[in-house]
Amino acid sequence: MPRSKERPRQHRKRTHLVLFPCPFQGHITPMLQLATILHSKGFSITIVHTQFNSPNPSNYPNFNFEPISDGLSVDQAQKENVMALVTLLNVNCHGPFSDLMAQMLSEEDPRDPIACIVSDAVMHFTQSVADHFKIPRIILRTSSALSFITFDAFPLLREKGYLPIQDPQSETPVSELPPLRIKDLPNISTDSSETLYQVVAHTNNVTRNSSGIIFNSFEHIEEAALVKIRQDFPMPLFLIGPLHKYSSGSSSSLLPHDHSCMVWLDKQAPGSVIYVSFGSLACMEKKELVEIAWGIANSGQPFLWVVRSGLVRGSASAEMPDGFEEETRGKGLVVKWAPQKEVLAHPSVGGFWTHNGWNSTVESICEGVPMLCWPCFGDQKVNARLVSHVLKVGVQLENGLEREKIGWAIRRLMVEKEGEEMRNNARKLKDKADLCLKKGGSSYESIDRLVNCILSL
Ligand code: UDX
């Protein structure tokens, strides 16, 4: 048994935090943003990370980085789906993380005593490590509160026959989870739905043993979900987002940003550009890329389109359809990876065609940019419904990708009256986001509560 288990924890003030992100872009970024906030509040920070998708420590000189072995082969890292990778990581990282914790808690370790582990919810094995060392664990949920209650409702949704989804296009409302319809329920690629349901249930059950839940969200956009979470989860909740609004220039991006697009944006008319990006994981068939390309061209709007490596299934670099470059020359730009937060804040950008990953959704809300929602998997469908139906700052592109429909949907967002209404709503929501971060605002107060909570653990 590690000696640390016996060590009285009250001797020195505990201001050392161990943060463990899940190694995907949409999860690493909010964890590092959270680390930056907590460091500014006087905590010392250790980031434990896998070799797979390792963040760049040189961008964060104030943090201590501890790599651990993730046991993934190059083949697994490249070929497995996200769900399979997460399952492997939860098994493979257990031993190395326990060993590291034992070392950090030993009396020889010069660092301050550890106050708590802050773990991505998806890295659920960290709860058993925390329990073993009698260290509190706070979790970070990187997606919306609405998606959290949706995943938590999976057992009920199975009981009522909504899951497994029989008809992915069904508009039937899920009366237990307004405003979701069956087609808005999360879909995750997996070899076995049964395993998926078990993992989701286990992740949420261990969440019930945590000392608190942090969300990268703010109260104003999650009111209904919050009522439900407060009923079902007794631990403190901290809605402290939008996290990206606190961070400095340091970068958590796993891919290099192509800043040349900012110069191009400077030359475009205000509010004219549709920005198109589907995040770091979503991928599509070649024929879908072709429809998107011609749909964008048909819209007639200036565009900035992120086509990252791997976006088209099975090919490292996606080729544009014949004639697309000639047709759109001077009207748009295709880049491999954009500085998204700056792009969304640029006055030339008037709309965002997004997959509704939660980071992209929050970043768009915070810049007052209305969205064309095209959710691909997981929580994204729930987020898209929140954006289009509750917040009314976006419209969904539904029932398949066809160039004519895409062109029309882009114009609807960018130039039609309906788009103008969404733009007005988006501006108001941006103001709410700005307010929640100011002294007295809900997220500002939540951060104070989080700091006090950690100090009192
Ligand atoms: C994943 C899941 O897909 C998503 O559903 C979940 O909510 C979070 O984890 P991802 O698909 O990558 O994330 O989407 P998103 O959450 O939007 O995160 C992407 C991040 O990459 C954003 O912070 C965005 O600013 C950044 N990005 C994206 C860039 O910096 N440049 C780009 O060109 C595109």
Side-chain angles (χ1 to χ4, degrees):
M1 185 188 294
R3 233 172 323 164
S4 49
K5 276 190 99 176
E6 310 299 332
R7 191 169 64 171
R9 301 183 65 236
Q10 61 272 29
H11 284 171
R12 280 193 282 160
K13 201 174 166 208
R14 282 171 287 118
T15 53
H16 177 196
L17 306 178
V18 173
L19 276 63
F20 199 144
C22 171
F24 294 101
Q25 183 70 76
H27 293 252
I28 294 171
T29 296
M31 186 63 90
L32 287 169
Q33 288 161 345
L34 174 63
T36 305
I37 296 169
L38 292 170
H39 183 264
S40 77
K41 299 288 177 186
F43 291 100
S44 59
I45 304 289
T46 294
I47 305 283
V48 180
H49 64 93
T50 54
Q51 293 137 330
F52 168 65
N53 279 349
S54 162
N56 183 353
S58 64
N59 288 339
Y60 298 90
N62 294 325
F63 304 164
N64 170 38
F65 282 79
E66 291 283 0
I68 59 165
S69 163
D70 52 40
L72 294 182
S73 66
V74 175
D75 210 41
Q76 282 172 324
Q78 282 172 354
K79 295 203 178 125
E80 292 287 11
N81 63 38
V82 175
M83 178 65 199
L85 282 174
V86 166
T87 306
L88 281 168
L89 289 170
N90 270 286
V91 175
N92 297 356
C93 294
H94 195 286
F97 183 49
S98 295
D99 293 347
L100 176 65
M101 284 299 291
Q103 181 207 316
M104 287 197 287
L105 288 162
S106 72
E107 274 159 17
E108 290 81 47
D109 196 281
R111 282 171 281 204
D112 290 338
I114 296 170
C116 76
I117 295 170
V118 182
S119 165
D120 192 300
V122 170
M123 305 303 270
H124 50 79
F125 79 94
T126 54
Q127 185 65 53
S128 66
V129 177
D131 291 344
H132 177 78
F133 290 104
K134 296 190 166 51
I135 299 280
R137 171 183 181 255
I138 292 181
I139 65 160
L140 171 65
R141 293 229 40 131
T142 58
S143 191
S144 59
L146 182 59
S147 77
F148 176 52
I149 61 165
T150 309
F151 283 114
D152 196 48
F154 266 27
L156 176 73
L157 297 175
R158 286 186 79 188
E159 200 183 298
K160 302 259 175 176
Y162 294 110
L163 292 178
I165 299 173
Q166 304 299 324
D167 174 10
Q169 300 306 327
S170 171
E171 309 248 340
T172 305
V174 179
S175 52
E176 292 78 1
L177 281 174
L180 302 186
R181 304 158 297 176
I182 289 178
K183 70 192 292 186
D184 303 317
L185 292 176
N187 64 327
I188 297 174
S189 289
T190 169
D191 299 333
S192 151
S193 333
E194 199 48 50
T195 312
L196 169 69
Y197 297 143
Q198 279 170 15
V199 171
V200 168
H202 179 68
T203 306
N204 285 347
N205 285 342
V206 298
T207 293
R208 290 186 156 80
N209 297 333
S210 71
S211 303
I213 313 176
I214 303 169
F215 288 92
N216 177 19
S217 194
F218 57 105
E219 297 216 353
H220 184 78
I221 58 173
E222 301 268 23
E223 279 164 358
L226 266 180
V227 171
K228 178 94 182 82
I229 300 176
R230 284 190 175 120
Q231 275 165 10
D232 295 351
F233 289 81
M235 69 284 293
L237 306 177
F238 307 101
L239 275 81
I240 63 172
L243 287 172
H244 71 278
K245 281 288 173 184
Y246 302 86
S247 28
S248 60
S250 42
S251 173
S252 57
S253 188
L254 296 170
L255 296 171
H257 285 144
D258 179 346
H259 288 274
S260 67
C261 59
M262 301 309 292
V263 180
W264 180 84
L265 281 175
D266 286 343
K267 296 183 194 134
Q268 308 307 313
S272 66
V273 175
I274 175 91
Y275 169 59
V276 184
S277 169
F278 308 121
S280 63
L281 295 171
C283 41
M284 59 183 63
E285 300 304 321
K286 169 94 187 161
K287 63 176 190 295
E288 292 180 303
L289 182 100
V290 170
E291 290 306 305
I292 292 175
W294 288 120
I296 292 174
N298 288 348
S299 78
Q301 291 296 129
F303 64 89
L304 171 61
W305 182 13
V306 176
V307 181
R308 58 157 225 280
S309 169
L311 180 66
V312 171
R313 227 168 256 126
S315 59
S317 63
E319 276 171 33
M320 290 297 134
D322 286 346
F324 175 77
E325 273 171 37
E326 296 75 33
E327 177 75 22
T328 59
R329 189 160 292 137
K331 287 190 199 149
L333 200 61
V334 177
V335 295
K336 285 198 161 68
W337 197 242
Q340 180 163 301
K341 288 178 266 299
E342 288 99 286
V343 166
L344 288 168
H346 196 285
S348 298
V349 172
F352 182 12
W353 182 4
T354 171
H355 70 314
N356 287 113
W358 189 241
N359 294 286
S360 295
T361 303
V362 172
E363 288 160 12
S364 202
I365 285 174
C366 289
E367 299 307 336
V369 176
M371 288 164 254
L372 178 58
C373 305
W374 185 61
C376 299
F377 68 93
D379 59 311
Q380 296 158 14
K381 290 175 185 242
V382 177
N383 303 338
R385 185 70 171 160
L386 178 71
V387 164
S388 59
H389 199 78
V390 180
L391 306 176
K392 300 191 186 330
V393 292
V395 60
Q396 287 209 48
L397 184 62
E398 297 189 275
N399 306 324
L401 281 178
E402 286 159 29
R403 58 190 75 181
E404 291 77 17
K405 263 184 11 195
I406 293 170
W408 163 234
I410 292 175
R411 285 195 300 278
R412 199 172 152 200
L413 183 76
M414 302 295 292
V415 293
E416 298 293 324
K417 185 162 185 326
E418 204 185 342
E420 193 46 49
E421 279 163 24
M422 286 185 257
R423 191 155 294 110
N424 285 337
N425 293 341
R427 279 189 204 112
K428 287 182 201 149
L429 212 47
K430 176 187 183 332
D431 292 344
K432 299 275 184 199
D434 289 342
L435 267 181
C436 80
L437 298 171
K438 298 216 165 90
K439 198 165 188 308
S442 61
S443 295
Y444 183 99
E445 300 286 314
S446 233
I447 288 181
D448 279 353
R449 282 197 304 112
L450 173 63
V451 169
N452 292 332
C453 170
I454 296 173
L455 293 174
S456 69
L457 287 171

